[in-house]
Amino acid sequence: LAELPLFVALGAVSGFVAFAFGHMAKLSRSAFAGNLGGRRFRSLMASVPPNARPALGGLTCGVIGVAFPQVLFFGHETVNALLGNTPLP
């Protein structure tokens, strides 16, 4: 019974994260459609053919994966590092 407030807080945080994830998905969809961003970004996205946009998204994910390799795999080593408050591998 003492843990109940912690679970309520966990539920609230999880709800916020889910809302933020959905909102960011809508923003990225708008950005790739050319409806979001500055004038230069909109003209850049308008010049990219629609068939090449998934490749651009894959390239972006690859660059993020190279910069932060721990996001590619969610193994025991990463979980242990997060729980142990040690640097990520």
Side-chain angles (χ1 to χ4, degrees), residues 47-86:
S47 67
V48 175
N51 295 340
R53 290 180 185 166
L56 182 61
L59 179 67
T60 303
C61 289
V63 168
I64 291 171
V66 167
F68 304 101
Q70 64 270 19
V71 302
L72 296 176
F73 308 103
F74 195 72
H76 295 288
E77 189 175 328
T78 304
V79 173
N80 289 335
L82 288 171
L83 293 176
N85 200 18
T86 58

Side-chain angles (χ1 to χ4, degrees), residues 1-13:
L1 192 60
E3 295 92 7
L4 187 62
L6 295 174
F7 284 114
V8 170
L10 179 63
V13 169

Side-chain angles (χ1 to χ4, degrees), residues 20-44:
F21 182 80
H23 192 65
M24 291 303 294
K26 288 178 186 176
L27 284 175
S28 66
R29 185 178 298 137
S30 295
F32 270 93
N35 300 328
L36 188 69
R39 185 175 12 164
R40 189 176 290 174
F41 183 76
R42 286 183 186 190
S43 66
L44 173 72

Side-chain angles (χ1 to χ4, degrees), residues 11-22:
V13 169
S14 298
F16 174 75
V17 168
F19 173 77
F21 182 80

